Amino acid sequence: MTSPGSSNARLAMHSSITSQVGPEFAMAANVSPPQNFAVHASAHGAGNCTDSSSDSRSPEMPLAKASDRESRIIAEKHRRSQYKAEIESIHSLLNDIIPTQRKLDKTSILRLAADKLRNEHVFGDTIKCDHLETWSSAVLKYFDLFGGFMIAVTCRGRIFIVSPNIQEKLGYCDIDLLGQDIYKYVHNEDKDILRFHIYPPELQSGFDDNLLKQHHNFKIRFLRAGAKSDLPRYEQCHINGTHRRSDKATANGVQDKQIIRRQRVRHNRTFSSSGNDFVFIGMVHVLSNVRPVCLVSPTAYSEYKTRHLIDGRIVECDQSISLAAGYMTEEVTGTSAFIFMHKDDVRWVICVLRQMYDQSREYGESYYRLMTRSGHFIYMRTRGFLEIDPNTKKVQSFVCINRVISQEYGRKMMEEMKRKYSVIVDMENQSERVSCVDEAPVEHPKHLERIVMHLVEPPANENIDELKLVPPSKENIISAIKNSEKVVQETGIRFDTRKRKKSDPDDLEVLKRHS
């Protein structure tokens, strides 16, 4: 709270100032200053506090105008429009390189423009046709005959020519590779090999005409095109090519100091520092290609893989069985493999399998006749491998590689197999087995049940080193054979439903002799 004396003193001072400078200045003192002036005054407030007399003599600073900012914006727009017009002008000159339907960014346009200048420097007037005419359909057919694609790089590794069929070999678009560094697409361990051939040490020291006569053959790994999230995949490629000197190459000795200063070359060289005076042109053949030449391998028509339980039931089957035997995987999965064999060959195959169980052999081979989906028989060779648990010595399944063989070779190998196992199977008792009442070429399901039951029986004397069979239940064995009977009947074969004569126990005794 101010005293009446102090307020009277201020009024007296105000009246004295008014009498000295006039009423106009007094009225202006009561009006707030402009915003720009206030900012300017606050910026120089610290200096004004020290010397008030110098403030009255300092010249007034120019005030910022809104028109200056607008002029800068207009100038920036004009620069951008002019830059865009120049880019479009350059783009119009690249119609012989870029297809009309392809859109590129500004960086790609500048990259392709530099590549066109590089081509004119290398070939000069040698090639007068444009880029699209160079890679015509006739030329591409010529490359297809050789099975490779053409590539040309400078001695510094800058790609300036690549044939469009590289997309079929490595997945790249030829336009995207022009002007790129080839070392970005080569395996790290092969970069020195590539550098040695496209930029040999002889070329670094001096030019020699013999360099253009040398042919280079080498192998490197190229990166295959793919998504950024995928792991890099490299293809082994063979390159065969030679060097070429550019038509507009500089003199052998660069003596002009201005050229040396512009190119930043400290010593005289036989080519310009950009590396465009000498180039490498070659053919690339992809040795390892992920695209198969044939969709189906040649062995698919004659070989297929199956996995079985120890009773012979199929739990897994390869799709190639449809080409080899005519069955679908859904038909044979869950069925017994023995019912598809000829009835005269079943006991021989079972003897081989039982020998593997009893003698702890991981591998076995058998020959037999297999009934196809059409009802005909083909000769087969099966190589089986037991899947054994190394800790418990238990066997629950085995894998078979089944292959179709010729009739002559099949008969020969079946005779050898019978001579090998003739001690186990009594031929005389087997010949008496013709008392069966049915004429089906495959084993009767009822008789097959008893044979399989004996196959999965554990040995009488179990040793520690012997394998331990893990047989399925009796119900599962019977169910698998019934499913097999349905598939066999679809081929046109009918089993006799009458009871069989009591000669089966004798046959089982024959099968038990090897145990």
Side-chain angles (χ1 to χ4, degrees), residues 101-138:
Q101 68 275 10
R102 185 180 177 89
K103 295 183 180 180
L104 298 176
D105 55 359
K106 298 177 183 178
T107 305
S108 300
I109 293 174
L110 297 176
R111 172 175 54 85
L112 295 176
D115 182 77
K116 185 175 182 178
L117 296 176
R118 188 177 293 110
N119 275 271
E120 294 180 356
H121 176 81
V122 173
F123 298 105
D125 298 332
T126 304
I127 300 178
K128 297 183 180 180
C129 57
D130 55 18
H131 179 80
L132 297 179
E133 293 178 356
T134 303
W135 305 116
S136 59
S137 58

mmCIF file of all heavy atoms in Angstrom, residues 101-138:
data_model
loop_
_atom_site.group_PDB
_atom_site.id
_atom_site.type_symbol
_atom_site.label_atom_id
_atom_site.label_comp_id
_atom_site.label_asym_id
_atom_site.label_seq_id
_atom_site.Cartn_x
_atom_site.Cartn_y
_atom_site.Cartn_z
ATOM 1 N N GLN A 101 5.025 -49.420 -68.395
ATOM 2 C CA GLN A 101 4.134 -49.698 -67.269
ATOM 3 C C GLN A 101 4.855 -49.728 -65.927
ATOM 4 O O GLN A 101 4.216 -49.898 -64.889
ATOM 5 C CB GLN A 101 3.415 -51.040 -67.475
ATOM 6 C CG GLN A 101 4.320 -52.275 -67.394
ATOM 7 C CD GLN A 101 4.993 -52.584 -68.726
ATOM 8 O OE1 GLN A 101 4.918 -51.768 -69.645
ATOM 9 N NE2 GLN A 101 5.602 -53.739 -68.848
ATOM 10 N N ARG A 102 6.149 -49.557 -65.922
ATOM 11 C CA ARG A 102 6.905 -49.630 -64.669
ATOM 12 C C ARG A 102 7.120 -48.232 -64.095
ATOM 13 O O ARG A 102 7.475 -47.302 -64.806
ATOM 14 C CB ARG A 102 8.263 -50.299 -64.909
ATOM 15 C CG ARG A 102 9.065 -50.522 -63.630
ATOM 16 C CD ARG A 102 10.389 -51.177 -63.961
ATOM 17 N NE ARG A 102 11.211 -51.348 -62.779
ATOM 18 C CZ ARG A 102 11.182 -52.405 -61.976
ATOM 19 N NH1 ARG A 102 10.352 -53.391 -62.246
ATOM 20 N NH2 ARG A 102 11.969 -52.492 -60.925
ATOM 21 N N LYS A 103 6.898 -48.091 -62.791
ATOM 22 C CA LYS A 103 7.084 -46.829 -62.088
ATOM 23 C C LYS A 103 8.313 -46.940 -61.196
ATOM 24 O O LYS A 103 8.484 -47.927 -60.490
ATOM 25 C CB LYS A 103 5.843 -46.488 -61.253
ATOM 26 C CG LYS A 103 4.598 -46.215 -62.088
ATOM 27 C CD LYS A 103 3.446 -45.809 -61.205
ATOM 28 C CE LYS A 103 2.176 -45.516 -62.026
ATOM 29 N NZ LYS A 103 1.033 -45.114 -61.176
ATOM 30 N N LEU A 104 9.139 -45.900 -61.240
ATOM 31 C CA LEU A 104 10.375 -45.878 -60.466
ATOM 32 C C LEU A 104 10.445 -44.626 -59.621
ATOM 33 O O LEU A 104 9.839 -43.600 -59.951
ATOM 34 C CB LEU A 104 11.589 -45.939 -61.407
ATOM 35 C CG LEU A 104 11.734 -47.194 -62.271
ATOM 36 C CD1 LEU A 104 12.910 -47.038 -63.206
ATOM 37 C CD2 LEU A 104 11.909 -48.436 -61.414
ATOM 38 N N ASP A 105 11.200 -44.706 -58.549
ATOM 39 C CA ASP A 105 11.421 -43.540 -57.720
ATOM 40 C C ASP A 105 12.549 -42.695 -58.311
ATOM 41 O O ASP A 105 13.188 -43.070 -59.298
ATOM 42 C CB ASP A 105 11.732 -43.959 -56.289
ATOM 43 C CG ASP A 105 12.905 -44.928 -56.219
ATOM 44 O OD1 ASP A 105 13.456 -45.272 -57.291
ATOM 45 O OD2 ASP A 105 13.277 -45.338 -55.108
ATOM 46 N N LYS A 106 12.800 -41.558 -57.709
ATOM 47 C CA LYS A 106 13.792 -40.621 -58.245
ATOM 48 C C LYS A 106 15.195 -41.194 -58.176
ATOM 49 O O LYS A 106 16.006 -40.990 -59.092
ATOM 50 C CB LYS A 106 13.707 -39.312 -57.471
ATOM 51 C CG LYS A 106 12.357 -38.607 -57.603
ATOM 52 C CD LYS A 106 12.299 -37.351 -56.749
ATOM 53 C CE LYS A 106 10.924 -36.698 -56.842
ATOM 54 N NZ LYS A 106 10.825 -35.495 -55.985
ATOM 55 N N THR A 107 15.492 -41.924 -57.108
ATOM 56 C CA THR A 107 16.829 -42.505 -56.993
ATOM 57 C C THR A 107 17.084 -43.531 -58.086
ATOM 58 O O THR A 107 18.174 -43.571 -58.672
ATOM 59 C CB THR A 107 16.993 -43.146 -55.612
ATOM 60 O OG1 THR A 107 16.699 -42.184 -54.597
ATOM 61 C CG2 THR A 107 18.394 -43.675 -55.419
ATOM 62 N N SER A 108 16.082 -44.343 -58.396
ATOM 63 C CA SER A 108 16.244 -45.347 -59.450
ATOM 64 C C SER A 108 16.401 -44.686 -60.818
ATOM 65 O O SER A 108 17.153 -45.185 -61.668
ATOM 66 C CB SER A 108 15.048 -46.296 -59.442
ATOM 67 O OG SER A 108 14.930 -46.961 -58.209
ATOM 68 N N ILE A 109 15.696 -43.574 -61.032
ATOM 69 C CA ILE A 109 15.829 -42.874 -62.317
ATOM 70 C C ILE A 109 17.247 -42.348 -62.487
ATOM 71 O O ILE A 109 17.862 -42.481 -63.561
ATOM 72 C CB ILE A 109 14.790 -41.747 -62.407
ATOM 73 C CG1 ILE A 109 13.368 -42.335 -62.465
ATOM 74 C CG2 ILE A 109 15.047 -40.868 -63.626
ATOM 75 C CD1 ILE A 109 12.283 -41.297 -62.419
ATOM 76 N N LEU A 110 17.802 -41.754 -61.444
ATOM 77 C CA LEU A 110 19.173 -41.268 -61.523
ATOM 78 C C LEU A 110 20.166 -42.417 -61.692
ATOM 79 O O LEU A 110 21.165 -42.301 -62.403
ATOM 80 C CB LEU A 110 19.503 -40.453 -60.280
ATOM 81 C CG LEU A 110 18.683 -39.166 -60.071
ATOM 82 C CD1 LEU A 110 19.056 -38.513 -58.749
ATOM 83 C CD2 LEU A 110 18.888 -38.198 -61.222
ATOM 84 N N ARG A 111 19.898 -43.544 -61.037
ATOM 85 C CA ARG A 111 20.783 -44.706 -61.165
ATOM 86 C C ARG A 111 20.774 -45.252 -62.587
ATOM 87 O O ARG A 111 21.835 -45.583 -63.157
ATOM 88 C CB ARG A 111 20.347 -45.787 -60.165
ATOM 89 C CG ARG A 111 21.066 -47.113 -60.318
ATOM 90 C CD ARG A 111 20.663 -48.076 -59.220
ATOM 91 N NE ARG A 111 19.228 -48.249 -59.148
ATOM 92 C CZ ARG A 111 18.538 -49.107 -59.898
ATOM 93 N NH1 ARG A 111 19.163 -49.843 -60.797
ATOM 94 N NH2 ARG A 111 17.241 -49.232 -59.752
ATOM 95 N N LEU A 112 19.594 -45.341 -63.188
ATOM 96 C CA LEU A 112 19.506 -45.847 -64.557
ATOM 97 C C LEU A 112 20.063 -44.850 -65.561
ATOM 98 O O LEU A 112 20.604 -45.247 -66.605
ATOM 99 C CB LEU A 112 18.059 -46.186 -64.884
ATOM 100 C CG LEU A 112 17.452 -47.331 -64.068
ATOM 101 C CD1 LEU A 112 15.983 -47.513 -64.415
ATOM 102 C CD2 LEU A 112 18.207 -48.619 -64.308
ATOM 103 N N ALA A 113 19.947 -43.553 -65.277
ATOM 104 C CA ALA A 113 20.538 -42.555 -66.163
ATOM 105 C C ALA A 113 22.061 -42.665 -66.161
ATOM 106 O O ALA A 113 22.713 -42.581 -67.221
ATOM 107 C CB ALA A 113 20.111 -41.159 -65.730
ATOM 108 N N ALA A 114 22.639 -42.870 -64.989
ATOM 109 C CA ALA A 114 24.087 -43.071 -64.920
ATOM 110 C C ALA A 114 24.497 -44.363 -65.624
ATOM 111 O O ALA A 114 25.557 -44.429 -66.260
ATOM 112 C CB ALA A 114 24.545 -43.089 -63.462
ATOM 113 N N ASP A 115 23.636 -45.395 -65.543
ATOM 114 C CA ASP A 115 23.947 -46.646 -66.230
ATOM 115 C C ASP A 115 23.910 -46.471 -67.745
ATOM 116 O O ASP A 115 24.718 -47.075 -68.466
ATOM 117 C CB ASP A 115 22.947 -47.726 -65.796
ATOM 118 C CG ASP A 115 23.235 -49.072 -66.429
ATOM 119 O OD1 ASP A 115 24.168 -49.744 -65.966
ATOM 120 O OD2 ASP A 115 22.527 -49.447 -67.386
ATOM 121 N N LYS A 116 22.991 -45.654 -68.251
ATOM 122 C CA LYS A 116 22.949 -45.400 -69.699
ATOM 123 C C LYS A 116 24.197 -44.661 -70.157
ATOM 124 O O LYS A 116 24.757 -44.988 -71.223
ATOM 125 C CB LYS A 116 21.691 -44.596 -70.033
ATOM 126 C CG LYS A 116 21.491 -44.394 -71.521
ATOM 127 C CD LYS A 116 20.182 -43.708 -71.825
ATOM 128 C CE LYS A 116 19.999 -43.564 -73.332
ATOM 129 N NZ LYS A 116 18.696 -42.933 -73.682
ATOM 130 N N LEU A 117 24.638 -43.689 -69.406
ATOM 131 C CA LEU A 117 25.880 -43.009 -69.745
ATOM 132 C C LEU A 117 27.068 -43.965 -69.699
ATOM 133 O O LEU A 117 27.995 -43.864 -70.507
ATOM 134 C CB LEU A 117 26.105 -41.841 -68.787
ATOM 135 C CG LEU A 117 25.077 -40.704 -68.836
ATOM 136 C CD1 LEU A 117 25.387 -39.676 -67.771
ATOM 137 C CD2 LEU A 117 25.050 -40.058 -70.218
ATOM 138 N N ARG A 118 27.037 -44.895 -68.758
ATOM 139 C CA ARG A 118 28.125 -45.878 -68.667
ATOM 140 C C ARG A 118 28.122 -46.795 -69.885
ATOM 141 O O ARG A 118 29.205 -47.160 -70.397
ATOM 142 C CB ARG A 118 27.965 -46.684 -67.374
ATOM 143 C CG ARG A 118 29.137 -47.598 -67.067
ATOM 144 C CD ARG A 118 28.956 -48.310 -65.745
ATOM 145 N NE ARG A 118 29.009 -47.382 -64.618
ATOM 146 C CZ ARG A 118 27.958 -47.072 -63.879
ATOM 147 N NH1 ARG A 118 26.773 -47.597 -64.136
ATOM 148 N NH2 ARG A 118 28.085 -46.234 -62.867
ATOM 149 N N ASN A 119 26.959 -47.198 -70.367
ATOM 150 C CA ASN A 119 26.885 -48.034 -71.570
ATOM 151 C C ASN A 119 27.414 -47.292 -72.798
ATOM 152 O O ASN A 119 28.104 -47.880 -73.641
ATOM 153 C CB ASN A 119 25.444 -48.487 -71.802
ATOM 154 C CG ASN A 119 25.093 -49.731 -71.016
ATOM 155 O OD1 ASN A 119 25.277 -50.843 -71.470
ATOM 156 N ND2 ASN A 119 24.581 -49.531 -69.806
ATOM 157 N N GLU A 120 27.055 -46.006 -72.911
ATOM 158 C CA GLU A 120 27.566 -45.226 -74.038
ATOM 159 C C GLU A 120 29.074 -45.054 -73.955
ATOM 160 O O GLU A 120 29.754 -44.989 -74.981
ATOM 161 C CB GLU A 120 26.875 -43.869 -74.070
ATOM 162 C CG GLU A 120 25.383 -43.944 -74.370
ATOM 163 C CD GLU A 120 24.733 -42.583 -74.385
ATOM 164 O OE1 GLU A 120 25.447 -41.596 -74.086
ATOM 165 O OE2 GLU A 120 23.535 -42.493 -74.691
ATOM 166 N N HIS A 121 29.612 -44.981 -72.759
ATOM 167 C CA HIS A 121 31.062 -44.864 -72.601
ATOM 168 C C HIS A 121 31.747 -46.180 -72.980
ATOM 169 O O HIS A 121 32.830 -46.171 -73.590
ATOM 170 C CB HIS A 121 31.396 -44.488 -71.163
ATOM 171 C CG HIS A 121 32.863 -44.430 -70.881
ATOM 172 N ND1 HIS A 121 33.639 -43.338 -71.202
ATOM 173 C CD2 HIS A 121 33.708 -45.336 -70.310
ATOM 174 C CE1 HIS A 121 34.883 -43.563 -70.845
ATOM 175 N NE2 HIS A 121 34.954 -44.765 -70.287
ATOM 176 N N VAL A 122 31.135 -47.310 -72.630
ATOM 177 C CA VAL A 122 31.779 -48.600 -72.880
ATOM 178 C C VAL A 122 31.679 -48.994 -74.343
ATOM 179 O O VAL A 122 32.679 -49.352 -74.986
ATOM 180 C CB VAL A 122 31.158 -49.685 -71.977
ATOM 181 C CG1 VAL A 122 31.696 -51.067 -72.352
ATOM 182 C CG2 VAL A 122 31.441 -49.388 -70.517
ATOM 183 N N PHE A 123 30.472 -48.910 -74.913
ATOM 184 C CA PHE A 123 30.256 -49.410 -76.268
ATOM 185 C C PHE A 123 30.323 -48.321 -77.336
ATOM 186 O O PHE A 123 30.533 -48.632 -78.501
ATOM 187 C CB PHE A 123 28.910 -50.137 -76.345
ATOM 188 C CG PHE A 123 28.839 -51.338 -75.457
ATOM 189 C CD1 PHE A 123 28.113 -51.308 -74.285
ATOM 190 C CD2 PHE A 123 29.519 -52.500 -75.783
ATOM 191 C CE1 PHE A 123 28.041 -52.426 -73.458
ATOM 192 C CE2 PHE A 123 29.456 -53.610 -74.965
ATOM 193 C CZ PHE A 123 28.719 -53.573 -73.799
ATOM 194 N N GLY A 124 30.132 -47.072 -76.958
ATOM 195 C CA GLY A 124 30.232 -46.005 -77.942
ATOM 196 C C GLY A 124 29.229 -46.176 -79.067
ATOM 197 O O GLY A 124 28.013 -46.229 -78.845
ATOM 198 N N ASP A 125 29.749 -46.276 -80.278
ATOM 199 C CA ASP A 125 28.887 -46.468 -81.449
ATOM 200 C C ASP A 125 28.819 -47.928 -81.881
ATOM 201 O O ASP A 125 28.285 -48.240 -82.950
ATOM 202 C CB ASP A 125 29.414 -45.617 -82.612
ATOM 203 C CG ASP A 125 29.380 -44.133 -82.282
ATOM 204 O OD1 ASP A 125 28.517 -43.750 -81.463
ATOM 205 O OD2 ASP A 125 30.219 -43.388 -82.809
ATOM 206 N N THR A 126 29.343 -48.842 -81.071
ATOM 207 C CA THR A 126 29.321 -50.258 -81.461
ATOM 208 C C THR A 126 27.906 -50.803 -81.454
ATOM 209 O O THR A 126 27.479 -51.484 -82.392
ATOM 210 C CB THR A 126 30.215 -51.073 -80.507
ATOM 211 O OG1 THR A 126 31.520 -50.515 -80.518
ATOM 212 C CG2 THR A 126 30.269 -52.525 -80.938
ATOM 213 N N ILE A 127 27.156 -50.517 -80.397
ATOM 214 C CA ILE A 127 25.767 -50.969 -80.272
ATOM 215 C C ILE A 127 24.877 -49.755 -80.480
ATOM 216 O O ILE A 127 24.892 -48.821 -79.671
ATOM 217 C CB ILE A 127 25.514 -51.614 -78.894
ATOM 218 C CG1 ILE A 127 26.440 -52.824 -78.699
ATOM 219 C CG2 ILE A 127 24.063 -52.031 -78.766
ATOM 220 C CD1 ILE A 127 26.287 -53.487 -77.350
ATOM 221 N N LYS A 128 24.114 -49.793 -81.554
ATOM 222 C CA LYS A 128 23.260 -48.658 -81.897
ATOM 223 C C LYS A 128 21.798 -48.896 -81.522
ATOM 224 O O LYS A 128 21.003 -47.966 -81.539
ATOM 225 C CB LYS A 128 23.355 -48.359 -83.393
ATOM 226 C CG LYS A 128 24.754 -47.945 -83.832
ATOM 227 C CD LYS A 128 24.790 -47.600 -85.300
ATOM 228 C CE LYS A 128 26.198 -47.178 -85.718
ATOM 229 N NZ LYS A 128 26.272 -46.824 -87.154
ATOM 230 N N CYS A 129 21.411 -50.140 -81.225
ATOM 231 C CA CYS A 129 20.030 -50.415 -80.831
ATOM 232 C C CYS A 129 19.863 -50.132 -79.348
ATOM 233 O O CYS A 129 20.820 -50.143 -78.572
ATOM 234 C CB CYS A 129 19.648 -51.858 -81.149
ATOM 235 S SG CYS A 129 20.722 -53.091 -80.379
ATOM 236 N N ASP A 130 18.618 -49.894 -78.941
ATOM 237 C CA ASP A 130 18.364 -49.555 -77.549
ATOM 238 C C ASP A 130 18.315 -50.814 -76.692
ATOM 239 O O ASP A 130 18.503 -51.938 -77.164
ATOM 240 C CB ASP A 130 17.062 -48.751 -77.424
ATOM 241 C CG ASP A 130 15.881 -49.484 -78.045
ATOM 242 O OD1 ASP A 130 15.990 -50.706 -78.258
ATOM 243 O OD2 ASP A 130 14.853 -48.832 -78.327
ATOM 244 N N HIS A 131 18.027 -50.579 -75.394
ATOM 245 C CA HIS A 131 18.080 -51.679 -74.425
ATOM 246 C C HIS A 131 17.012 -52.733 -74.709
ATOM 247 O O HIS A 131 17.304 -53.941 -74.694
ATOM 248 C CB HIS A 131 17.902 -51.105 -73.016
ATOM 249 C CG HIS A 131 17.923 -52.154 -71.940
ATOM 250 N ND1 HIS A 131 19.084 -52.696 -71.439
ATOM 251 C CD2 HIS A 131 16.902 -52.778 -71.278
ATOM 252 C CE1 HIS A 131 18.791 -53.588 -70.520
ATOM 253 N NE2 HIS A 131 17.487 -53.655 -70.402
ATOM 254 N N LEU A 132 15.774 -52.308 -74.962
ATOM 255 C CA LEU A 132 14.693 -53.263 -75.168
ATOM 256 C C LEU A 132 14.871 -54.032 -76.467
ATOM 257 O O LEU A 132 14.522 -55.214 -76.556
ATOM 258 C CB LEU A 132 13.341 -52.535 -75.149
ATOM 259 C CG LEU A 132 12.981 -51.848 -73.827
ATOM 260 C CD1 LEU A 132 11.636 -51.156 -73.945
ATOM 261 C CD2 LEU A 132 12.951 -52.851 -72.682
ATOM 262 N N GLU A 133 15.417 -53.393 -77.493
ATOM 263 C CA GLU A 133 15.663 -54.099 -78.742
ATOM 264 C C GLU A 133 16.818 -55.083 -78.610
ATOM 265 O O GLU A 133 16.856 -56.098 -79.303
ATOM 266 C CB GLU A 133 15.965 -53.083 -79.855
ATOM 267 C CG GLU A 133 14.775 -52.206 -80.238
ATOM 268 C CD GLU A 133 15.151 -51.196 -81.306
ATOM 269 O OE1 GLU A 133 16.347 -51.153 -81.661
ATOM 270 O OE2 GLU A 133 14.262 -50.470 -81.775
ATOM 271 N N THR A 134 17.744 -54.788 -77.713
ATOM 272 C CA THR A 134 18.871 -55.704 -77.519
ATOM 273 C C THR A 134 18.396 -57.043 -76.971
ATOM 274 O O THR A 134 18.835 -58.107 -77.425
ATOM 275 C CB THR A 134 19.891 -55.075 -76.558
ATOM 276 O OG1 THR A 134 20.303 -53.822 -77.077
ATOM 277 C CG2 THR A 134 21.095 -55.984 -76.376
ATOM 278 N N TRP A 135 17.487 -57.010 -76.005
ATOM 279 C CA TRP A 135 16.991 -58.256 -75.402
ATOM 280 C C TRP A 135 15.676 -58.652 -76.069
ATOM 281 O O TRP A 135 14.636 -58.717 -75.428
ATOM 282 C CB TRP A 135 16.812 -58.073 -73.900
ATOM 283 C CG TRP A 135 18.045 -57.596 -73.210
ATOM 284 C CD1 TRP A 135 18.216 -56.415 -72.554
ATOM 285 C CD2 TRP A 135 19.289 -58.283 -73.120
ATOM 286 N NE1 TRP A 135 19.490 -56.317 -72.070
ATOM 287 C CE2 TRP A 135 20.183 -57.456 -72.399
ATOM 288 C CE3 TRP A 135 19.753 -59.510 -73.591
ATOM 289 C CZ2 TRP A 135 21.488 -57.819 -72.135
ATOM 290 C CZ3 TRP A 135 21.068 -59.871 -73.332
ATOM 291 C CH2 TRP A 135 21.903 -59.032 -72.609
ATOM 292 N N SER A 136 15.722 -58.924 -77.329
ATOM 293 C CA SER A 136 14.540 -59.386 -78.057
ATOM 294 C C SER A 136 14.298 -60.863 -77.741
ATOM 295 O O SER A 136 15.115 -61.541 -77.100
ATOM 296 C CB SER A 136 14.734 -59.184 -79.565
ATOM 297 O OG SER A 136 15.872 -59.905 -80.016
ATOM 298 N N SER A 137 13.171 -61.371 -78.214
ATOM 299 C CA SER A 137 12.827 -62.770 -77.944
ATOM 300 C C SER A 137 13.824 -63.719 -78.594
ATOM 301 O O SER A 137 14.132 -64.791 -78.061
ATOM 302 C CB SER A 137 11.410 -63.057 -78.447
ATOM 303 O OG SER A 137 11.304 -62.783 -79.841
ATOM 304 N N ALA A 138 14.339 -63.340 -79.763
ATOM 305 C CA ALA A 138 15.318 -64.205 -80.429
ATOM 306 C C ALA A 138 16.607 -64.313 -79.622
ATOM 307 O O ALA A 138 17.209 -65.392 -79.519
ATOM 308 C CB ALA A 138 15.609 -63.660 -81.826
#
